[in-house]
Amino acid sequence: MPVVPSWLMTPLWDQFAALLPERPRVDPSHPLGCHRPRVADRLIFEKLLQVLRFGCAYESIADSGCSATTIRNRRDEWITLGVFEQLKAIVLDTYDRIVGLILDDISVDGCITKAPGGGEVAGRSPVDRGKQGMKRSSMVEARGIPLDRVLAGANRHDSPLLASTLDKLDVFGPLPEKVTVHLDAGYDSAVTRELLAGRNLHAEIAHKGDKAPIQAGRRWHVERTNAWHNAFNRLQRCYERRERVIDAFFDLADAIITLRSLIRQAWTLYRWDNRPTRRP
């Protein structure tokens, strides 16, 4: 069963491979020149996609050609080099140049998922009988393209995470003159309004006590993006314990979501010689 379709896998791997440093297939320092060949980067990348998509253990996808230790070591090597973060930034920049990010309307919301193994960003979940859980404060633009996120324990409230989440907007350079932040009733407080006013951001916050369908507004984009993230089982039920590893998987998932939206929207907006006859 393919993790991602070929029309998505090919450009994703091409860009990822371009970010990897050159490595000899066999260690040249070996005295006999017969050191065990290095496992291909493409194979490791596909294994990590399987972990992300299906949520399986590293030992479950290891085989005679690639051990679980090799997968973890290569993953950590790429994280140290910042490859996943660069991939996400490049895909997001490409989307902005071809389609365009709509930063006039931004949505932020928290989402609680399971973290059975605990870890650096885990805490007692208030919605899962006190079991270990993780919260992500996600920020998306008007079409639901994920911009960034902040990870915390499931016992953290959404509102205190808003400031650190909005800090992620700094990397996007000059923002539109009027930016509206759409929030649910969990952020309905004077503290939140003062925070947004101090950043020259307009607030569109649902009122506590009012029914959600009446005041849904444009928050549904972030809810849909949360569903996109939860389609990756490694993010929905996270066994990773280190924050930087979880962030790397989120960056990879964000790159997939953004690239998928880019290809589908480009099919409608542009024409080229080998353009598919059907929308992907």
Side-chain angles (χ1 to χ4, degrees):
M1 180 179 178
V3 180
V4 294
S6 58
W7 55 267
L8 185 57
M9 181 65 179
T10 300
L12 187 68
W13 165 249
D14 288 346
Q15 182 57 68
F16 190 87
L19 298 173
L20 299 179
E22 292 291 338
R23 289 285 192 274
R25 187 171 181 270
V26 179
D27 188 356
S29 63
H30 195 279
L32 300 178
C34 57
H35 191 270
R36 184 176 181 180
R38 177 183 171 89
V39 179
D41 290 332
R42 173 67 181 263
L43 178 59
I44 302 295
F45 182 70
E46 292 181 355
K47 296 284 189 183
L48 289 177
L49 285 179
Q50 293 176 30
V51 173
L52 173 65
R53 177 62 182 85
F54 303 126
C56 50
Y58 296 99
E59 288 76 8
S60 300
I61 59 173
D63 50 36
S64 58
C66 179
S67 67
T69 301
T70 301
I71 300 173
R72 293 191 189 95
N73 290 343
R74 197 74 57 87
R75 175 205 65 192
D76 292 341
E77 175 187 336
W78 291 343
I79 292 175
T80 302
L81 293 172
V83 179
F84 296 101
E85 185 179 358
Q86 294 176 52
L87 176 67
K88 176 201 168 185
I90 291 174
V91 173
L92 201 58
D93 180 67
T94 304
Y95 181 94
D96 190 22
R97 288 187 287 108
I98 295 178
V99 178
L101 292 171
I102 305 177
L103 299 177
D104 301 89
D105 292 289
I106 293 173
S107 299
V108 179
D109 193 19
C111 180
I112 295 178
T113 56
K114 294 178 179 293
E120 297 175 353
V121 288
R124 290 174 57 86
S125 175
V127 296
D128 194 18
R129 295 169 293 173
K131 296 180 180 179
Q132 291 294 296
M134 180 181 66
K135 172 170 286 188
R136 62 175 183 268
S137 177
S138 300
M139 177 172 58
V140 305
E141 52 93 69
R143 291 195 184 98
I145 298 299
L147 301 178
D148 219 320
R149 98 294 306 177
V150 170
L151 302 178
N155 54 330
R156 295 287 303 278
H157 194 272
D158 292 348
S159 185
L161 300 176
L162 180 60
S164 54
T165 305
L166 293 176
D167 288 340
K168 305 287 186 179
L169 286 173
D170 295 341
V171 301
F172 295 98
L175 297 174
E177 183 177 347
K178 180 181 178 181
V179 178
T180 302
V181 181
H182 300 268
L183 304 167
D184 63 18
Y187 299 88
D188 187 15
S189 68
V191 175
T192 299
R193 290 182 171 84
E194 291 175 3
L195 170 67
L196 296 176
R199 295 169 180 258
N200 295 322
L201 301 173
H202 295 264
E204 187 69 31
I205 307 176
H207 298 289
K208 294 180 180 179
D210 294 343
K211 294 184 179 296
I214 300 176
Q215 51 175 346
R218 299 185 181 181
R219 294 196 325 274
W220 69 271
H221 295 97
V222 69
E223 302 291 352
R224 183 183 60 180
T225 303
N226 282 333
W228 286 343
H229 278 136
N230 289 338
F232 298 97
N233 287 349
R234 197 62 168 188
L235 307 181
Q236 182 186 31
R237 189 180 183 88
C238 184
Y239 286 91
E240 303 291 349
R241 296 181 58 83
R242 291 182 293 166
E243 183 176 3
R244 72 174 197 151
V245 176
I246 302 172
D247 263 325
F249 276 120
F250 266 106
D251 287 339
L252 183 56
D254 287 350
I256 294 174
I257 292 172
T258 305
L259 182 59
R260 181 177 60 195
S261 298
L262 169 61
I263 294 175
R264 288 175 173 172
Q265 293 188 55
W267 187 91
T268 304
L269 298 174
Y270 300 97
R271 298 291 185 271
W272 58 93
D273 293 338
N274 57 347
R275 176 176 176 268
T277 56
R278 298 181 61 184
R279 187 169 181 263

